[in-house]
Amino acid sequence: TVIYVVFFVLFMAYQTSKGFVYQMQKVEDMDIGSIVIGFLLMLGLSIVCNYLVTSINDGDGTFRQIYMIPAYGLLPAMISLLTVTVVSYGMTETEAFLLTIIMLIGVVWSAITIFVGLQTVHDYTFGETVKSVIITIVFMVILAIVAIILSIMWDSLYSFIKSFGKELFQNVL
């Protein structure tokens, strides 16, 4: 959990505190709430969905192990986020490709580490791990779509009840 908190702090610093040449959007214009909620939902959803998918597909990993794998796997991305945030203050716009390469290396390294960690914990082959990750991503997308649809339906129901109540008080009472 401490690693997730540190990663979140570094991620927020990367989003809001890069050098002025690389900061494409003003901090005042950012919706920090949606960034925080999106981060937490993506992390939680990926862990829960992977646990559910691998429990169906006879994975050996426990929920605790699945919770810990992305934390340790995100360490290279944490280093690249910190490096890019700090170095962005001293680089010009023409040197942006170096920061892109640093981020790409950190993210790819983290993805490979998480993939290998999942493969090891669940005692899967390479193909089974690929299948498990793809099913997890599809499951996450399906849950997100269902959540959006439910949100729209609850909003419509709330609007209906509100307008019904107004009509009731105006015309009946």
Side-chain angles (χ1 to χ4, degrees):
T1 303
V2 172
I3 296 172
Y4 284 127
V5 170
V6 171
F7 180 77
F8 177 73
V9 168
L10 290 173
F11 176 73
M12 290 304 292
Y14 173 78
Q15 291 291 324
T16 60
S17 304
K18 292 187 293 273
F20 72 93
V21 175
Y22 299 102
Q23 190 69 36
M24 302 301 177
Q25 189 177 12
K26 293 181 182 179
V27 177
E28 297 85 27
D29 296 336
M30 291 183 183
D31 186 7
I32 302 297
S34 66
I35 294 173
V36 171
I37 291 170
F39 179 86
L40 295 174
L41 282 178
M42 287 297 294
L43 181 64
L45 200 58
S46 65
I47 291 168
V48 170
C49 288
N50 186 269
Y51 175 73
L52 294 174
V53 167
T54 55
S55 65
I56 291 172
N57 292 331
D58 297 327
D60 293 338
T62 63
F63 187 80
R64 182 171 185 227
Q65 290 172 326
I66 295 171
Y67 178 76
M68 290 188 313
I69 287 170
Y72 294 123
L74 288 172
L75 289 174
M78 289 171 58
I79 294 169
S80 66
L81 284 171
L82 180 63
T83 303
V84 168
T85 304
V86 171
V87 172
S88 69
Y89 285 96
M91 296 188 126
T92 62
E93 194 171 352
T94 57
E95 299 164 329
F97 73 94
L98 291 173
L99 297 181
T100 305
I101 289 173
I102 291 171
M103 279 304 296
L104 185 65
I105 289 171
V107 169
V108 168
W109 189 0
S110 288
I112 291 171
T113 304
I114 292 169
F115 183 85
V116 170
L118 290 173
Q119 183 177 0
T120 304
V121 161
H122 295 303
D123 197 24
Y124 282 167
T125 63
F126 180 81
E128 289 173 330
T129 308
V130 169
K131 183 178 104 176
S132 171
V133 169
I134 290 172
I135 293 172
T136 300
I137 292 170
V138 168
F139 191 38
M140 288 172 62
V141 169
I142 290 170
L143 284 178
I145 291 171
V146 167
I148 290 169
I149 290 171
L150 286 175
S151 171
I152 292 169
M153 289 175 60
W154 280 111
D155 188 45
S156 297
L157 180 64
Y158 173 75
S159 297
F160 171 74
I161 291 172
K162 184 177 174 182
S163 63
F164 182 77
K166 283 183 181 179
E167 195 71 30
L168 181 69
F169 281 118
Q170 286 177 355
N171 296 330
V172 176
L173 299 176

